[in-house]
Amino acid sequence: MPILTDSSTAADWTEPDEVARPVVAYGMASEMIGSFEIDLHCHAKAQILLVQRGALSCRVDGGLWIVPPRSAVWIPGGTLHAITATGRLEGYAAFVAAGIDVGLPQRCCTVSVTPLLRELLFRAARLPLLYHEGGASSRLIAVLLDEIAVARIEDLHLPMPSDPRLRALADLMMAAPADRGSLQGWAARAGLSERTLGRLISRETGMSFGRWRQQLGVMLAVQWLAGGASIQQVAADLGYESVPSFVTMFRKTLGTSPGRYMAERHAGARVTCCSDTAASAP
């Protein structure tokens, strides 16, 4: 499968579930600034999607995952999911057939991508669609699966409540993240008492209301920073009165400052996409 670009057509895409190979990989690259969405869909094969540049968010029933540069999202086979991409995107995906038992994740999650896993995905994406089985290509695929199985899971997950009142409230909060309203104010919007709201959100997400809102802020911050927004802009868009207060929250949650977090994501990034794409594009 060729590397998919802004000039690719529907004919350049082959549905991975229709390819008679245990693993099917491809690459994609877009120079367009902005965002696009892929509506709810699913594949019989599981999927790992690496973000090399830009950012993705993946929404499934019960959760939202943010995928910054040099991270990947794992989506089990048969899982309904929707994807939103932000910024200039470069990504690589591998679809894994059911029945491969090498300790792969059983639930949707984001994982940290080591240099080895990244290179394996780069190489797999450039294999022929029907690569020869039993030789070097199969050995590469076997190592790729082993690396996926041992990848470190990252805390970039926002559990989403299923209670309709809480879901409506969550949608409001995601649409207006700068609203720093109190627990009492948000409870009133949902037609609930403070105590009931706190009890429901703890039961459905495993987090307190304050912790859930803080995690939402971190998720949005990572997505916006990966899309090119400044720290000052992100702090303002999340409703913080000062940049230091936002940085403190970010550091407490992810263990480092937003500037260092993104610098580490981009440090040593492989810049081969444009030349590779030009050579591979139809």
Side-chain angles (χ1 to χ4, degrees), residues 48-50 52 70-74 92 94 104 111-125 140-141 143-152:
I48 185 170
L49 179 54
L50 159 70
Q52 181 66 6
R70 304 183 74 182
S71 288
V73 61
W74 171 262
Y92 298 84
L104 297 172
V111 298
S112 180
V113 176
T114 63
L116 176 56
L117 177 53
R118 187 168 66 249
E119 290 296 329
L120 288 166
L121 283 166
F122 289 157
R123 289 285 301 278
L140 183 149
I141 292 300
V143 178
L144 170 61
L145 293 172
D146 287 340
E147 284 298 300
I148 296 172
V150 300
R152 178 174 59 86

Side-chain angles (χ1 to χ4, degrees), residues 64-66 68 110 154-158 215 219 222 254 261:
L64 175 71
W65 281 260
I66 294 295
T110 50
E154 296 187 314
D155 186 22
L156 290 173
H157 169 225
L158 184 73
Q215 184 72 359
M219 300 272 286
V222 168
L254 293 183
Y261 183 87

